[in-house]
Amino acid sequence: GAVVSQHPSWVICKSGTSVKIECRSLDFQATTMFWYRQFPKQSLMLMATSNEGSKATYEQGVEKDKFLINHASLTLSTLTVTSAHPEDSSFYICSARSGSSYEQYFGPGTRLTVT
Amino acid sequence: KQEVTQIPAALSVPEGENLVLNCSFTDSAIYNLQWFRQDPGKGLTSLLLIQSSQREQTSGRLNASLDKSSGRSTLYIAASQPGDSATYLCAVNTNAGKSTFGDGTTLTVKP
């Protein structure tokens, strides 16, 4: 099956710094990738849709200047959390869509802790 | 706006029981519906994908049904095992690829 990886799997950073999370589709090309965040004991909330070669589309309430998304190739999308604050601590998960079935394949997630 | 509800929120059963997890959605204009499994602190594993034109999909001990007109899907797990313990999420997808997730059902299968 299709494999999506994320790096790093966990990261701790200090308040005010920026953190970059990578999402890669390992064995297929993904024209569209999605970024979600998940707070403890809650479901996934879509943050943004990332299309290769174009600007990301952000969901209502998500600050695009704080969560910078780049989808420079068909196998890589990055999420940069800028000037991170403790309230940004969360589980960030990406997914990549393959073909026309719209089946999504999810990465293992990145746990971000901001101290 | 699409809303997805999963009932029950938590379920505990003895090993060997058959069980049903429910997912309902408010907007029937969906492209497909996907069931996932999530283990604590981990990402999502896709279990079954049902296209809007399909009624059900089966994989091993899992069977998912879809009734688009009534906005419902069920995930049936046969002969449950302790290894099935996890949170099960359903996601409703539009043809633009956007997913709306339910809050999940946390399943515990006791040995």
Side-chain angles (χ1 to χ4, degrees), chain A residues 6-8 19-23 35 77-81 92 110:
Chain A
Q6 279 184 244
H7 178 81
V19 174
K20 180 185 284 188
I21 302 170
E22 292 184 349
C23 176
W35 286 96
S77 177
T78 60
L79 168 68
T80 301
V81 183
Y92 292 86
T110 297

Side-chain angles (χ1 to χ4, degrees), chain B residues 62-77:
Chain B
L62 305 179
N63 176 278
S65 69
L66 173 63
D67 184 342
K68 200 173 76 162
S69 61
S70 67
R72 294 182 181 181
S73 176
T74 61
L75 178 66
Y76 175 83
I77 302 177

Side-chain angles (χ1 to χ4, degrees), chain A residues 32 34 36 38 41-46 49 57 59 91 93 97 100-109 111, chain B residues 6 31-32 34 36 38 41-46 48-49 51 89 93-99 101-104:
Chain A
T32 305
F34 302 89
Y36 298 84
Q38 184 179 35
K41 299 192 183 299
Q42 294 186 25
S43 192
L44 281 74
M45 297 299 294
L46 179 66
T49 302
T57 303
E59 294 301 300
F91 195 48
I93 305 179
R97 198 175 73 192
S100 60
S101 71
Y102 296 111
E103 182 167 6
Q104 292 189 56
Y105 299 95
F106 281 79
R111 185 161 301 283
Chain B
Q6 290 188 245
Y31 194 79
N32 59 35
Q34 205 164 350
F36 296 91
Q38 185 177 31
K42 304 292 185 181
L44 276 67
T45 300
S46 179
L48 289 165
L49 172 73
Q51 300 293 350
L89 296 164
N93 303 319
T94 69
N95 59 4
K98 275 192 173 183
S99 295
F101 282 83
D103 288 339

Side-chain angles (χ1 to χ4, degrees), chain B:
Chain B
K1 180 185 173 185
Q2 179 74 271
E3 293 182 4
V4 180
T5 304
Q6 290 188 245
I7 295 174
L11 181 63
S12 181
V13 300
E15 182 177 4
E17 269 202 13
N18 302 325
L19 57 101
V20 175
L21 307 180
N22 297 289
C23 173
S24 61
F25 47 96
T26 55
D27 186 349
S28 62
I30 67 170
Y31 194 79
N32 59 35
L33 183 146
Q34 205 164 350
W35 282 93
F36 296 91
R37 168 190 174 133
Q38 185 177 31
D39 293 288
K42 304 292 185 181
L44 276 67
T45 300
S46 179
L47 298 174
L48 289 165
L49 172 73
I50 310 178
Q51 300 293 350
S52 61
S53 58
Q54 297 176 323
R55 298 284 294 184
E56 66 177 339
Q57 282 285 341
T58 298
S59 176
R61 293 183 294 108
L62 305 179
N63 176 278
S65 69
L66 173 63
D67 184 342
K68 200 173 76 162
S69 61
S70 67
R72 294 182 181 181
S73 176
T74 61
L75 178 66
Y76 175 83
I77 302 177
S80 58
Q81 303 171 358
D84 295 330
S85 298
T87 296
Y88 291 81
L89 296 164
C90 78
V92 174
N93 303 319
T94 69
N95 59 4
K98 275 192 173 183
S99 295
T100 303
F101 282 83
D103 288 339
T105 293
T106 299
L107 172 65
T108 302
V109 181
K110 297 172 288 187

